[in-house]
Amino acid sequence: MPSANPPLDDQLLEEIHADQNTNTGIENKKLIMWLFLASDCMFFGTLISTHLIYRKLYPFGHPEEGAVNITGTFDIELTSFSTFILLMSSFLMALAVSSMHKGAIQSFRNYTFGVIIFGLIFLAGQVYEFQHFYHGQGWYDWKVSSNAGQVIVGNEKNKLLFHDVANTAAAKEGFGHEQFGLELLSFTPAEGADLAHPPITFKYEVELPDEVGNAPETFYGEYIYNPTDPHASQVVVLSEIPPPPVIEEAKEAPKEEASDDTAKADSGGKTDASEKAETTEEAEAPAEASETKDVTAAQEQTEAAEEHVAESTEHTEAPNEHATEKHTEDTHNEAHPHTHTPAPTSMAEVTKAAKETFKHSNYGFELNEFKQVQVVPGLDLKTSVFGSTFYVMTGTHGTHVAIGVLWLFSMLVYSYSGRLTPRHAVDVEIAGLYWHFVDIVWIVIFTVVYLVEYI
Amino acid sequence: MSSATAEVHTTHHHAVADKTQLAPEKSLLGLTRPDRHTGWIDWVTTVDHKKIGIMYGGFALLFFIIGGIEALMIRLQLSVPQNDLITAQLYNQFFTMHGTTMIFLGVMPLSAAFFNFLVPLQIGARDVAFPRLNTFSLWTFVAGAFVLNISWLFQFAHTVGWFGQGLVHTDMAPSGGWFGYAPLTGDKYTGIGTDFWIVGLQILGVASLAASFNFIVTILNMRAPGMTMMRLPVFTWMTLVTSFLIIFAFPAITIALAELMFDRYFGSNFFRTENGGQPILWQHLFWVFGHPEVYILVLPAMGIVSEILPTFSKKPLFGYPIIVFSGAVIGFLGFAVWSHHMFTTGLGKVATAAFSLLTMAIAVPTGVKIFNWMGTLWGGRIKFTVPMVFSLGFIWMFMLGGFTGIMHSSAPADAQQQDSYFVVAHFHYVLLGGVLLGLLAGLYFWVPKIFGRMLNQKLGYWTAFLVIAGFNITFFPMHYLGLTGMPRRTHTYLGDMGWNLWNLVATIGAFILGIGVLLCFVNIVYTVFKGKKCDADPWGGRTLEWSTPTPVPAYNFAATPIVQARDCFWVHKHGDKKIEYMPDDGHGIHMPSQSWFPLLCGFGFAFFGVSMAMMGAGVPYAGYCAIAGLSAVFLGVYLWALEGPGGYHLEPPHEEGADKPHDAPASHAAH
Amino acid sequence: MSHATTWKEAAILENARYHTFFNLAMFLAVLTGIEIVIIFLPWASWLVMSMLVVLSVIKFFAVILWFMHLIYDKITLFWLFLTGMVLATGTMIALVALFSVDNVDFGSIAAVGQYAVTALA
């Protein structure tokens, strides 16, 4: 094993100079690296030419307009940031090489570490950028309502919640999984909730984020959780926003909403609402529900809200409801076979499980409308020429950066183990040449691919 | 020698006379270096440029035979009209593989064989600048050749029903022509045959690039003292220009192939017309590579001829600086003429005129070279040895090919000739009449130095006769066939077009040519093992390689020569400036260590290549295999970087004069 | 490195270069900033384009000459790299020019491709 950091004496200097005893006075490694870079110029030049040719042929990035929205897709702030990062990494690399030339190993290590970090930041930026480009952007109008009649409508401000997905189905899915932007503020067992006497009632508070428009901020109510069949749990909304409609209308309203719930079939949580909607016998159900509700606090609101509950707890069904109920159960059985969870052993466990299913029920809300109003199409290798040239070009560049990072990392490691010493300044120099080349290619790509689109 | 090796010498022992006497030495990775071996381990781990050259040559000759068989199949199919010897698809595969094999697996490696063996010797160096990189080039080339040709096996397997029965496209071997025009080579029209072709060529590209970087550094940096650039043998100069051509031309095809690969595997739109891809882009990118490629093919042969003519005229090369300069100009201008392959694609008036003029211009330096060669011969004491006969054949036949090339340079004329047999005639004249004759000349010239045995000269003359006659009989009629309208790349033709006779004649000529080539290879194989031994300088050579003993010792020169003139060995023998030698410093001669890792890289590439094609065929897990193959390549490179250059010392024999050049007068011709 | 004969000299040389590198890095950052700004200004597009090209070329050569040391190295390297650059740039310009011809309707090629996919599939 070579000695770590040999003394900086004349003999070392002589050995280093001996490498330059070539006909041209240039070390072999340095010469081959410059030749490689000259060849790589042609390599990237061809790629960039392909891109330029297709840009010239198709001003829209594709033969047909609409497949691509280039300036809409690009995020010039991020890319500019990445450019500065790479530029600074280049600076640090020059300093690393410089340090090695004067034998300052620790400085070399510090600067190389800096280059690696900046390189990784650049790569992370590329990955992030590509993800966003790929998903495109969509702005959506949406309407969410609860069976209690509360309605939340998407507006200018909260459209932003789903701006990063250009695909309506995917955005809708994501929206659902984000519980329509609602947040659970608190979820606690109600007084007198008893593990031994299921179902267990929890009290909850659900909030809308600040930016959301015309609906008040907080909803609260109860969640009656059935540990043995969580999907049969029910939500009781107690907060009055807007004022609850008349009882009779409320009974009809859920049925109408059933037909709107096309998105619910595969989401277990949402079947609670459909189950609620299916029931025709509200009269019986509230009676049964009220048994459990007797245990809860806020009696007045409970009375008022009783009518709003549409439920389908298995063991409370009247025989003639079986037809519709069964259908509901069957549909939700297909999606979610009865999960007979083992008997909970602690309130904490039950709370956790209940919270999960409550979340999946979207806190009792359902999605009525979801419509795309504006889109920047996702940029994809397959759907447009611009996508093809863009990803292959920047991907090739990114691969070069990644290889550079690996190389520098190896050098950093070996500078600690003693394999890389000032004797090997030329090895550091050629890594530096490679890194700087990668930077100048980025300079060209940034200008020619990103900046010119904005002119 | 590679630089930056000093730090590992602390473990070295005394110089040994023979490396089998070396004690086992561990590399910086803790693995034993394969330095001491003989036999097959020695050959697969060698970093010796001479052995590498021999292996390149061996593979090249093998692929010449394979390519030749493919050619004979083509000619057999075309011997009579409406022949049904082979199907149209198989015919396409034969002409594709014939072209690809001959160019990438025949001519280029044979040229590489000469580069490898001769360049260090001609510049007075012990080896190339990066010996392990050289080995890497060799094994990567072998991997690429393997990937390309294993496709035949898959085609056979498919035909007998063992493989790929459910695939939409039934071509398992490449069938898109050696130029692979997209979108025909896209996934809509061809199957895994094209995948083999793409990946095979990419691998070959890596091999060529690596070798070229190595040679440029070697030639620029490792010349013996006194060997200025203008004293270099012309062959070395042509190697330098060719290497520059390779490093600037191959990136274009690398990108074109990569774009096609993305189209096929990932659905991108580079050449997908329904989404806006432009087929003409492929043509441009390919020919930006393709045109310099043909100069890559011919310049080494020109270099060889430039060595042989002076030797057998007993005169220095006429106009050396002009020949060198012309070579460089041909190389440079070679990048500016690519669209002359595309005159009929609708480039527009300005572009067509520009490329037409540039193509005419490139004939000028070529013509200058021919005049200089004539000038070399003029007034010389010409000896019609076999190499000389081949070289003279080169001048004449290449000129004929050049004339038809000039005819192509006129765009209106080319409009008639494009895609007809006239083009086939043109490029076979320059490739066979030019490149092949030059390479055969080189073989006959240098085999005595490489193997220490003289090739049978009688067989040599017969080869020359059969090859030259055969190839003329084959390809001269094609000028007529082309001008009367016979199109290229069609597997048959109707019997009433007036082409029957000359197609038959061409086929007969092809077989004569084949016999000639076979004779040559029989000669070589026999000679390598049982040929008549000869001395170190059988021809009266002019350049440094002839000053070494035969067989050439591992270290080339016991002491580094100090060069004082051009054609320094001739001058040493017949003139007043003797070659002097650097004094012995007593440390022995430093030799580079051998390595397993370039071989690992070769295996990795081969595995990667076949896996990629299997991925195209839908074989499960093939993608992972491809990644594994590439990882093996990266691992090989990484470990090779980590093992350190190593090195050992050899002691040259100390008998006086044993390693020094003969002072004898001009040698008698062998045999 | 080729100029220094002792480690002390090397240190002095490299330390002097620190300032050069720092100033250069700032210079490059400023140029990049200018580029980003001018694309949003309401100037004629040919003017902005030309400025972008000029600024990029300046940045390119600045990195090559100083960060990549070429100005401190042997001139051979400069010519070697320049050859590659000239060839690459020349090829790029030629390729783009070739696709800028008026007499070829590249768009209809796509239309034919579409037709081939839909009608003939």
Side-chain angles (χ1 to χ4, degrees):
Chain A
M1 203 59 174
S3 59
N5 302 336
L8 297 182
D9 60 10
D10 288 342
Q11 203 228 331
L12 187 62
L13 210 52
E14 252 176 61
E15 285 174 9
I16 294 173
H17 281 156
D19 292 340
Q20 290 165 14
N21 283 348
T22 58
N23 295 118
T24 56
I26 305 165
E27 295 103 324
N28 286 345
K29 286 184 184 175
K30 199 156 149 175
L31 184 57
I32 205 175
M33 180 50 82
W34 273 107
L35 289 169
F36 171 75
L37 297 181
S39 177
D40 228 15
C41 275
M42 195 63 184
F43 186 81
F44 277 105
T46 312
L47 262 177
I48 295 174
S49 302
T50 305
H51 180 83
L52 287 176
I53 286 167
Y54 280 127
R55 284 305 291 124
K56 212 162 184 328
L57 288 182
Y58 306 121
F60 301 127
H62 197 67
E64 290 143 25
E65 195 175 0
V68 187
N69 177 347
I70 298 173
T71 44
T73 303
F74 281 166
D75 178 359
I76 199 70
E77 286 96 359
L78 174 63
T79 317
S80 305
F81 171 71
S82 295
T83 306
F84 279 110
I85 290 280
L86 207 57
L87 215 56
M88 290 307 115
S89 79
S90 223
F91 170 53
L92 291 176
M93 188 76 231
L95 294 179
V97 172
S98 193
S99 305
M100 208 42 143
H101 274 146
K102 62 183 181 188
I105 285 244
Q106 192 51 46
S107 299
F108 161 76
R109 290 178 188 140
N110 297 341
Y111 288 129
T112 303
F113 184 69
V115 181
I116 292 170
I117 295 293
F118 277 35
L120 288 173
I121 294 174
F122 176 84
L123 284 174
Q126 293 288 84
V127 170
Y128 178 82
E129 192 182 71
F130 288 0
Q131 287 265 26
H132 276 257
F133 288 7
Y134 183 72
H135 287 125
Q137 298 176 61
W139 287 263
Y140 303 88
D141 265 343
W142 48 272
K143 187 165 116 176
V144 159
S145 64
S146 77
N147 56 305
Q150 293 116 341
V151 173
I152 313 165
V153 172
N155 61 19
E156 281 308 309
K157 289 187 202 163
N158 58 29
K159 267 187 217 165
L160 287 172
L161 283 172
F162 313 107
H163 80 291
D164 62 342
V165 185
N167 173 307
T168 305
K172 200 174 188 181
E173 176 99 0
F175 192 34
H177 282 143
E178 286 173 41
Q179 286 75 46
F180 309 145
L182 298 166
E183 273 172 48
L184 188 61
L185 284 185
S186 69
F187 190 82
T188 51
E191 286 166 23
D194 184 1
L195 272 180
H197 297 101
I200 303 156
T201 303
F202 294 87
K203 287 162 52 164
Y204 70 84
E205 277 186 336
V206 161
E207 185 194 55
L208 293 161
D210 273 340
E211 310 83 50
V212 178
N214 55 9
E217 290 196 331
T218 316
F219 302 102
Y220 57 94
E222 288 169 357
Y223 186 58
I224 301 164
Y225 177 67
N226 185 332
T228 50
D229 187 13
H231 298 293
S233 310
Q234 42 179 306
V235 179
V236 180
V237 180
L238 300 174
S239 42
E240 290 182 8
I241 308 121
V246 180
I247 295 173
E248 288 73 40
E249 289 161 28
K251 285 189 192 150
E252 260 76 74
K255 268 188 267 183
E256 287 156 19
E257 287 170 4
S259 53
D260 291 340
D261 297 332
T262 47
K264 305 244 183 105
D266 37 346
S267 170
K270 291 180 184 159
T271 54
D272 285 330
S274 61
E275 290 162 58
K276 294 172 214 146
E278 297 281 339
T279 315
T280 46
E281 257 68 29
E282 269 100 71
E284 282 195 39
E288 267 131 19
S290 63
E291 283 170 28
T292 50
K293 278 187 231 159
D294 285 340
V295 199
T296 65
Q299 304 284 356
E300 302 171 320
Q301 288 161 317
T302 315
E303 309 287 84
E306 263 175 40
E307 294 82 2
H308 305 311
V309 175
E311 63 288 282
S312 60
T313 347
E314 284 183 312
H315 51 269
T316 59
E317 274 152 320
N320 52 349
E321 289 169 18
H322 268 280
T324 41
E325 300 277 330
K326 231 191 176 72
H327 168 71
T328 316
E329 280 156 48
D330 287 342
T331 44
H332 85 84
N333 281 355
E334 285 156 28
H336 302 275
H338 282 277
T339 46
H340 282 281
T341 47
T345 52
S346 73
M347 191 51 86
E349 216 180 281
V350 177
T351 310
K352 188 168 158 206
K355 204 170 179 178
E356 253 332 280
T357 45
F358 187 41
K359 192 164 139 186
H360 281 145
S361 75
N362 287 326
Y363 310 137
F365 282 84
E366 54 193 77
L367 184 62
N368 298 135
E369 278 171 31
F370 194 84
K371 205 174 58 188
Q372 190 179 78
V373 292
Q374 198 188 330
V375 69
V376 169
L379 189 64
D380 182 358
L381 197 65
K382 296 186 207 211
T383 49
S384 65
V385 181
F386 184 83
S388 302
T389 60
F390 176 79
Y391 281 121
V392 172
M393 191 171 40
T394 50
T396 306
H397 176 263
T399 309
H400 276 72
V401 174
I403 292 174
V405 167
L406 283 171
W407 186 355
L408 289 170
F409 182 70
S410 300
M411 286 199 325
L412 183 63
V413 167
Y414 289 120
S415 78
Y416 280 104
S417 72
R419 274 189 81 135
L420 189 75
T421 67
R423 174 73 183 83
H424 309 105
V426 74
D427 293 340
V428 173
E429 200 174 335
I430 63 176
L433 289 175
Y434 179 81
W435 190 262
H436 288 127
F437 179 75
V438 155
D439 181 35
I440 58 181
V441 169
W442 181 254
I443 288 173
V444 176
I445 290 180
F446 179 60
T447 311
V448 152
V449 176
Y450 292 88
L451 292 183
V452 296
E453 298 295 340
Y454 290 91
I455 296 178
Chain B
M1 287 306 146
S2 44
S3 58
T5 58
E7 78 285 359
V8 271
H9 287 181
T10 49
T11 56
H12 284 319
H13 11 76
H14 300 307
V16 293
D18 184 306
K19 66 177 183 162
T20 53
Q21 297 166 354
L22 291 171
E25 185 194 319
K26 293 217 187 293
S27 69
L28 296 180
L29 284 173
L31 303 170
T32 310
R33 291 189 196 273
D35 279 338
R36 306 171 291 129
H37 300 277
T38 53
W40 69 270
I41 295 185
D42 182 38
W43 282 89
V44 302
T45 61
T46 188
V47 294
D48 181 354
H49 67 98
K50 301 182 287 298
K51 291 205 172 79
I52 292 174
I54 291 171
M55 285 191 275
Y56 263 116
F59 281 112
L61 296 180
L62 169 69
F63 287 113
F64 262 119
I65 298 208
I66 295 178
I69 292 173
E70 286 157 353
L72 289 176
M73 292 306 296
I74 296 173
R75 282 316 321 163
L76 276 174
Q77 166 65 15
L78 292 176
S79 52
V80 294
Q82 299 198 283
N83 203 356
D84 58 358
L85 180 69
I86 55 180
T87 61
Q89 177 176 289
L90 194 56
Y91 179 84
N92 293 350
Q93 291 173 332
F94 275 127
F95 78 67
T96 303
M97 288 301 280
H98 165 70
T100 308
T101 300
M102 285 306 201
I103 290 174
F104 292 103
L105 309 182
V107 171
M108 285 184 82
L110 192 53
S111 300
F114 287 119
F115 296 158
N116 268 284
F117 195 92
L118 293 171
V119 167
L121 290 172
Q122 287 193 337
I123 65 175
R126 292 240 158 76
D127 206 315
V128 293
F130 297 97
R132 286 174 299 173
L133 188 65
N134 208 9
T135 313
F136 169 83
S137 293
L138 172 71
W139 296 118
T140 306
F141 152 71
V142 174
F146 174 79
V147 169
L148 270 178
N149 280 283
I150 201 82
S151 65
W152 279 125
L153 207 68
F154 281 94
Q155 182 65 49
F156 172 75
H158 175 78
T159 310
V160 299
W162 295 342
F163 177 81
Q165 299 313 112
L167 291 174
V168 172
H169 299 296
T170 56
D171 58 301
M172 308 288 137
S175 60
W178 87 276
F179 37 79
Y181 276 12
L184 180 64
T185 40
D187 55 0
K188 222 189 338 261
Y189 302 105
T190 48
I192 67 168
T194 301
D195 295 321
F196 278 115
W197 183 77
I198 292 174
V199 184
L201 280 187
Q202 290 284 43
I203 297 172
L204 291 171
V206 171
S208 292
L209 280 168
S212 300
F213 290 131
N214 214 346
F215 280 112
I216 295 176
V217 176
T218 305
I219 294 171
L220 290 181
N221 262 6
M222 297 181 60
R223 290 165 280 136
M227 178 65 85
T228 61
M229 292 302 287
M230 294 311 271
R231 286 180 183 165
L232 281 178
V234 175
F235 178 73
T236 302
W237 259 113
M238 293 301 106
T239 306
L240 184 66
V241 176
T242 304
S243 300
F244 271 107
L245 282 175
I246 290 176
I247 71 172
F248 292 129
F250 267 84
I253 196 179
T254 306
I255 292 295
L257 289 170
E259 290 177 357
L260 184 60
M261 198 174 77
F262 268 90
D263 271 19
R264 291 178 62 92
Y265 287 94
F266 302 116
S268 61
N269 297 307
F270 291 101
F271 308 113
R272 213 174 274 278
T273 47
E274 64 270 21
N275 278 340
Q278 292 293 332
I280 196 109
L281 178 65
W282 172 271
Q283 294 194 32
H284 278 295
L285 293 182
F286 182 82
W287 289 114
V288 165
F289 153 76
H291 195 81
E293 169 66 8
V294 310
Y295 293 112
I296 290 167
L297 297 175
V298 87
L299 284 176
M302 289 183 167
I304 292 174
V305 164
S306 304
E307 301 287 342
I308 292 175
L309 290 178
T311 306
F312 296 110
S313 314
K314 307 226 186 304
K315 270 181 77 199
L317 187 68
F318 187 91
Y320 170 98
I322 296 285
I323 287 209
V324 163
F325 183 67
S326 300
V329 167
I330 290 172
F332 188 75
L333 277 184
F335 277 98
V337 299
W338 79 85
S339 285
H340 66 220
H341 298 268
M342 299 161 62
F343 279 146
T344 53
T345 57
L347 297 168
K349 285 183 293 207
V350 174
T352 305
F355 281 106
S356 191
L357 288 169
L358 283 163
T359 308
M360 292 174 189
I362 208 170
V364 172
T366 317
V368 164
K369 283 189 147 194
I370 295 185
F371 280 118
N372 279 284
W373 289 326
M374 307 301 295
T376 308
L377 292 167
W378 188 269
R381 284 180 293 142
I382 299 183
K383 199 122 203 269
F384 289 94
T385 56
V386 175
M388 188 59 154
V389 168
F390 275 116
S391 303
L392 294 172
F394 169 96
I395 298 177
W396 188 12
M397 296 296 120
F398 182 76
M399 222 163 54
L400 291 179
F403 291 153
T404 48
I406 301 271
M407 289 171 70
H408 285 319
S409 73
S410 159
D414 187 67
Q416 179 193 10
Q417 301 151 6
Q418 172 76 355
D419 281 339
S420 75
Y421 262 80
F422 194 85
V423 184
V424 178
H426 159 67
F427 67 71
H428 281 95
Y429 262 83
V430 288
L431 283 176
L432 265 150
V435 179
L436 182 68
L437 291 187
L439 292 173
L440 289 176
L443 276 175
Y444 277 89
F445 190 52
W446 276 300
V447 156
K449 175 52 68 181
I450 298 172
F451 295 106
R453 299 167 191 267
M454 195 59 106
L455 281 168
N456 185 315
Q457 299 300 292
K458 192 152 168 218
L459 270 183
Y461 286 116
W462 270 105
T463 303
F465 172 68
L466 286 170
V467 165
I468 294 177
F471 118 84
N472 273 290
I473 297 172
T474 313
F475 295 104
F476 196 80
M478 290 189 187
H479 295 104
Y480 168 76
L481 284 172
L483 289 177
T484 55
M486 182 171 175
R488 292 173 72 174
R489 311 173 194 143
T490 50
H491 78 294
T492 192
Y493 52 95
L494 293 174
D496 56 354
M497 306 296 291
W499 300 329
N500 306 4
L501 173 65
W502 294 116
N503 267 296
L504 188 59
V505 168
T507 302
I508 294 169
F511 276 90
I512 298 173
L513 170 61
I515 294 170
V517 170
L518 194 61
L519 219 59
C520 179
F521 292 174
V522 162
N523 197 356
I524 293 173
V525 172
Y526 178 82
T527 302
V528 167
F529 295 105
K530 285 196 159 43
K532 191 164 74 171
K533 293 208 194 230
C534 63
D535 62 17
D537 182 17
W539 305 117
R542 305 176 73 88
T543 42
L544 265 178
E545 76 271 22
W546 299 107
S547 72
T548 58
T550 298
V552 182
Y555 43 79
N556 297 350
F557 301 96
T560 304
I562 301 173
V563 170
Q564 309 211 52
R566 200 181 290 157
D567 282 346
C568 58
F569 187 48
W570 178 267
V571 170
H572 172 89
K573 288 185 291 189
H574 304 291
D576 51 357
K577 296 200 188 114
K578 298 283 182 214
I579 301 175
E580 286 167 23
Y581 292 87
M582 300 284 278
D584 184 6
D585 59 4
H587 290 153
I589 300 170
H590 178 82
M591 299 295 291
S593 279
Q594 307 191 193
S595 174
W596 285 105
F597 297 118
L599 186 67
L600 172 62
C601 293
F603 276 119
F605 273 124
F607 196 63
F608 166 72
V610 179
S611 303
M612 286 296 275
M614 290 304 101
M615 198 160 93
V619 169
Y621 302 114
Y624 295 110
C625 290
I627 294 175
L630 266 189
S631 308
V633 175
F634 276 112
L635 185 69
V637 172
Y638 201 70
L639 291 176
W640 141 23
L642 290 187
E643 75 176 340
Y648 58 91
H649 287 87
L650 278 184
E651 194 70 60
H654 284 295
E655 303 95 87
E656 192 57 30
D659 279 335
K660 300 203 170 181
H662 312 293
D663 282 331
S667 60
H668 40 276
H671 72 240
Chain C
M1 199 59 218
S2 44
H3 306 296
T5 48
T6 65
W7 285 107
K8 229 182 184 159
E9 268 180 45
I12 294 169
L13 196 71
E14 297 299 335
N15 290 338
R17 286 184 188 165
Y18 178 91
H19 294 289
T20 313
F21 292 151
F22 181 80
N23 294 337
L24 190 67
M26 294 303 111
F27 176 66
L28 290 170
V30 164
L31 284 190
T32 309
I34 293 175
E35 282 180 344
I36 296 170
V37 164
I38 65 173
I39 56 177
F40 293 113
L41 294 178
W43 295 348
S45 74
W46 63 265
L47 179 63
V48 178
M49 220 21 157
S50 315
M51 287 186 66
L52 279 183
V53 169
V54 166
L55 287 172
S56 295
V57 168
I58 295 175
K59 286 202 294 191
F60 190 90
F61 277 99
V63 172
I64 295 187
L65 289 172
W66 281 281
F67 278 166
M68 290 168 88
H69 251 237
L70 261 189
I71 204 164
Y72 305 116
D73 285 327
K74 301 250 182 239
I75 198 84
T76 318
L77 282 178
F78 178 75
W79 289 117
L80 276 175
F81 187 73
L82 202 68
T83 314
M85 269 306 303
V86 164
L87 274 170
T89 317
T91 309
M92 269 175 68
I93 294 174
L95 278 173
V96 176
L98 280 162
F99 277 87
S100 308
V101 292
D102 292 332
N103 60 320
V104 180
D105 180 3
F106 292 101
S108 67
I109 295 170
V112 170
Q114 284 282 1
Y115 169 76
V117 163
T118 54
L120 305 177

